[in-house]
Amino acid sequence: MKLMDLANRLEIILRKYLKTHHINFHIKANDSLFDSDWIKPVSFVLGHRYAFADIQKKDDILKFLECEFQGKNIVDLNSNKEKYCLTNEEQVFKYIQETISKIEYLLSDDLLK
């Protein structure tokens, strides 16, 4: 799996949560999530989730956004590894995979499905 594949996976997760088709979703993996800005779209979707979350999930979302979520976008993480205490591309890839899994977890809730 390549970095662009991860951006595509994240786009799908965000679209699925918002229940929108890719034509109507203006945050595309191949431009904004990958090399422009992934903070705003992720924060927007998690903010929406926060509004309907229980106390524990709200705490988890805040902790993630304030302490765990880093990088301007996927390319930034890869280009500036050292800034984010990542030593090689494998660690960058693993961090992004874990971040996407965490976002998926934060968006999950059987009551919302």
Side-chain angles (χ1 to χ4, degrees):
M1 189 179 287
K2 298 177 183 176
L3 292 175
M4 182 54 85
D5 294 334
L6 292 174
N8 287 325
R9 179 174 169 228
L10 179 57
E11 178 189 341
I12 290 167
I13 291 166
L14 298 178
R15 280 192 298 107
K16 181 179 176 187
Y17 176 77
L18 294 174
K19 297 179 179 153
T20 186
H21 190 271
H22 72 89
I23 294 171
N24 301 322
F25 192 67
H26 299 287
I27 307 301
K28 300 293 182 200
N30 61 350
D31 55 9
S32 52
L33 297 174
F34 187 66
D35 63 4
S36 180
D37 179 20
W38 74 341
I39 296 170
K40 289 177 188 168
V42 168
S43 296
F44 172 78
V45 174
L46 288 177
H48 184 273
R49 175 67 181 97
Y50 183 90
F52 300 101
D54 62 23
I55 298 293
Q56 181 59 52
K57 189 73 84 162
K58 285 182 179 186
D59 289 344
D60 291 345
I61 290 169
L62 285 177
K63 179 183 173 203
F64 173 76
L65 289 173
E66 293 173 356
C67 303
E68 299 172 29
F69 191 44
Q70 49 185 350
K72 296 175 187 171
N73 54 56
I74 290 173
V75 170
D76 174 55
L77 281 168
N78 195 41
S79 298
N80 301 300
K81 309 173 198 36
E82 298 80 20
K83 178 180 173 182
Y84 302 109
C85 300
L86 303 166
T87 57
N88 56 44
E89 286 188 29
E90 186 176 314
Q91 281 189 339
V92 170
F93 192 79
K94 183 177 179 185
Y95 170 78
I96 295 168
Q97 282 183 310
E98 290 171 355
T99 297
I100 292 171
S101 293
K102 182 73 176 210
I103 292 167
E104 195 167 29
Y105 158 74
L106 292 171
L107 294 175
S108 70
D109 189 339
D110 292 339
L111 298 175
L112 295 176
K113 293 181 181 174

